[in-house]
Amino acid sequence: MLSFIERHVIACLIGAVAAAFLIYETSVHFFAYTGDAYVDTHVIFVAPEVSGPLAQMPVRDDAQVEAGTLLAEIERTPFALAVAQAEAEVTLAADRIRTARAAIDESTAMVAAARASLDTALLQQSRSEALSATGDISAEALDTVRRDASVAMADLEKAQSLAAVAQTLVTVRQAEQAAAVQTLAQANYQLSRTRITSPAAGRVAPLTARVGDYASAGKPLAAVVSNADWHILAAVEERHLARLKPGQSVLFTIGSDPWRLHWGTVRSISPGIARAATETGALPYVPLDTDWIRLPRRFPVLIDMGAVPQQQPLYRGADARVLIWF
């Protein structure tokens, strides 16, 4: 049998556990706490659009950069030569168009001359046929005049065909010029892409590339941790979702400054999550297991950090702790 003291101790323990549980269940109606949170911002992976050896990299690790700051430059010589060649092709195409238009002028003159010759031959044929009716011209002479008219007609048709060919050649040369202009524009664009600049203000993550390395198009060369959108990404248990709203006040601490409380606000609440890590799509996945303990479902909540980003340097991925007031 338990003594009075033992029963009293057990009753106190049970009462304390029950009171703690009641206090906890009551508190969730007023605030939500999570230690599963971290500081986040945009990380921009900068990749070249053209390939080539790196000629210079003027930035250093953790350097503060502005939008447009030169991060690296690829050797320009091959791209400058391509521009010069494309410019020569454009000039050559323009010369070919001028030559083709001169051929049009020449063929137009030939058509006019052939038409004049045909008119003369037809007039001569008409006169000869009138004289033949009165016997004033021999049959052989009439045949000669008719043959001359047929030759003049053939010469006109030939001149007209040459004029049509000349006009077609101008169209072809104009198409070649348009293609050369596009090639020049592409060469100029590729030359401009040898300069790799920061797309946003921020800090440069540790670099792995060095001058002389071969940079491949589409392969990230550097990463810029943006200053534009610092926030905390907190995983909040689903039991709190009904009371969570954008704009609610938040108390938080960050791992780089753990003993100072800061005020923030709820920016947004994820409308859904992936149920499994293998599920494809744009929804975030929040793991349920921490070692051997299975945690409740949690949803990502974005928290604005107020004036903190302007007051001190922040580090993406740093731990944070969040207390949201309802």
Side-chain angles (χ1 to χ4, degrees), residues 24-194:
Y24 173 76
E25 288 298 320
T26 302
S27 69
V28 297
H29 293 277
F30 300 97
F31 60 84
Y33 169 81
T34 179
D36 187 5
Y38 62 91
V39 178
D40 194 17
T41 187
H42 301 307
V43 177
I44 305 169
F45 294 95
V46 183
E49 296 183 42
V50 296
S51 300
L54 292 174
Q56 61 170 321
M57 293 191 70
V59 297
R60 297 292 180 264
D61 294 351
D62 198 38
Q64 184 72 40
V65 295
E66 300 297 328
T69 299
L70 181 66
L71 301 179
E73 185 172 20
I74 292 174
E75 176 58 50
R76 294 168 53 88
T77 302
F79 300 95
L81 292 174
V83 169
Q85 181 178 357
E87 289 174 341
E89 290 293 338
V90 169
T91 302
L92 180 60
D95 291 340
R96 287 172 175 169
I97 289 177
R98 285 192 290 270
T99 301
R101 285 175 175 163
I104 287 181
D105 295 338
E106 183 179 355
S107 62
T108 301
M110 291 177 61
V111 168
R115 181 172 286 111
S117 297
L118 177 60
D119 291 342
T120 301
L122 290 175
L123 180 60
Q124 184 63 35
Q125 179 181 341
S126 177
R127 291 174 178 175
S128 297
E129 288 175 345
L131 291 173
S132 177
T134 59
D136 294 333
I137 189 173
S138 65
E140 291 82 1
L142 180 60
D143 290 340
T144 299
V145 169
R146 286 175 174 172
R147 184 176 64 253
D148 290 343
S150 298
V151 171
M153 177 63 74
D155 288 344
L156 176 60
E157 292 175 349
K158 179 180 179 181
Q160 289 173 334
S161 296
L162 290 174
V165 170
Q167 183 61 54
T168 301
L169 184 60
V170 168
T171 303
V172 171
R173 296 307 187 196
Q174 287 174 337
E176 291 175 349
Q177 184 186 44
V181 169
Q182 291 298 321
T183 301
L184 175 58
Q186 183 178 15
N188 277 317
Y189 177 79
Q190 290 182 338
L191 177 62
S192 69
R193 296 296 94 182
T194 58

Side-chain angles (χ1 to χ4, degrees), residues 192-216:
S192 69
R193 296 296 94 182
T194 58
R195 289 177 57 85
I196 304 165
T197 59
S198 176
R203 297 204 302 274
V204 179
L207 298 167
T208 57
R210 296 292 181 266
V211 173
D213 288 349
Y214 190 87
S216 298

Side-chain angles (χ1 to χ4, degrees), residues 13-25:
L13 289 174
I14 294 174
V17 171
F21 177 77
L22 181 61
I23 292 172
Y24 173 76
E25 288 298 320

